[in-house]
Amino acid sequence: EPPETLEAAERLTQEAMAAVMRGDKCPDRADRKREFEDAERRYGHALRLYEKLTGRDTMDTAIALNRLGWHLKTRGKYSAADTLYRRSLAIREKHKGPRSMEVLVALSNLAENCRFLKKHDESDCIMARVAFLRTLHHVKPAVEGPATIQKPKVWQVFEDGAWKDVPADPVVEAPAPAPADELLGELLAATSTS
């Protein structure tokens, strides 16, 4: 059992990511399943450490929730991922505000997962909010088309009159343009996740 430290939580996260990569390369189905189960266990343990050490309502916990949610979603466990994504979104909205880039990322993940759950109307509403936030932050995925529902590796940010590539992780804050309170209020009301 690893020590209960933030370093241990991050190490578990890195080990989980490595297990996913090994699993993706395994030709044997049983080995692949074993690696993915190991990754899920490690992501879960890291989440519990973040909750214990930083609190259940912190950005570290929100990020850990999102990581485990992503892993569960990619393994077809959409209902479990949905719960984690919604909790991560609520924490991000509380700490970063409804207009933040962190919320944009959480909403994108939730919208994609809603599609897998056949909640198409909810996904469409959430994607409208995502589109608004992308416009607000002058951010768009570097790849247009069907791939935009997946988390892109690169965002494009409009700066100095031109689109520039920016890595998607870590999330980069772009300066927000003039407030659009009325539209944001309508979108928040339409896409409430509570």
Side-chain angles (χ1 to χ4, degrees), residues 32-140:
R32 185 171 41 250
K33 183 178 184 220
R34 196 170 19 263
E35 290 290 353
F36 293 151
E37 288 170 351
D38 180 50
E40 184 174 332
R41 184 182 59 77
R42 290 174 190 276
Y43 277 128
H45 191 160
L47 171 59
R48 287 186 296 281
L49 283 177
Y50 282 117
E51 288 176 326
K52 181 176 182 177
L53 297 170
T54 68
R56 292 183 47 83
D57 190 28
T58 64
M59 285 301 295
D60 285 331
T61 296
I63 292 166
L65 286 162
N66 192 70
R67 287 175 177 155
L68 179 55
W70 169 84
H71 180 73
L72 294 172
K73 179 200 63 162
T74 61
R75 304 300 160 232
K77 298 178 180 182
Y78 308 121
S79 293
D82 189 72
T83 302
L84 298 173
Y85 279 147
R86 289 178 192 278
R87 190 168 152 223
S88 177
L89 174 61
I91 294 169
R92 290 166 188 243
E93 285 179 324
K94 177 181 175 183
H95 290 283
K96 298 294 184 174
R99 295 176 181 214
S100 70
M101 291 289 290
E102 289 85 354
V103 166
L104 187 154
V105 170
L107 286 169
S108 296
N109 290 337
L110 180 59
E112 180 182 26
N113 198 63
C114 283
R115 286 262 180 236
F116 288 117
L117 288 169
K118 308 290 188 231
K119 296 179 179 180
H120 298 294
D121 289 343
E122 183 178 5
S123 178
D124 289 344
C125 287
I126 295 168
M127 285 307 294
R129 189 169 164 203
V130 167
F132 169 78
L133 289 174
R134 285 180 179 161
T135 302
L136 183 72
H137 289 282
H138 296 280
V139 173
K140 67 178 185 178

Side-chain angles (χ1 to χ4, degrees), residues 128-159:
R129 189 169 164 203
V130 167
F132 169 78
L133 289 174
R134 285 180 179 161
T135 302
L136 183 72
H137 289 282
H138 296 280
V139 173
K140 67 178 185 178
V143 178
E144 297 293 339
T148 60
I149 198 162
Q150 298 173 2
K151 184 179 177 197
K153 302 266 187 276
V154 175
W155 290 97
Q156 289 186 331
V157 177
F158 194 74
E159 282 182 347

Side-chain angles (χ1 to χ4, degrees), residues 154-184:
V154 175
W155 290 97
Q156 289 186 331
V157 177
F158 194 74
E159 282 182 347
D160 303 323
W163 290 102
K164 298 178 182 176
D165 287 349
V166 176
D169 281 323
V171 175
V172 175
E173 287 283 347
D181 293 322
E182 187 175 316
L183 180 56
L184 179 62

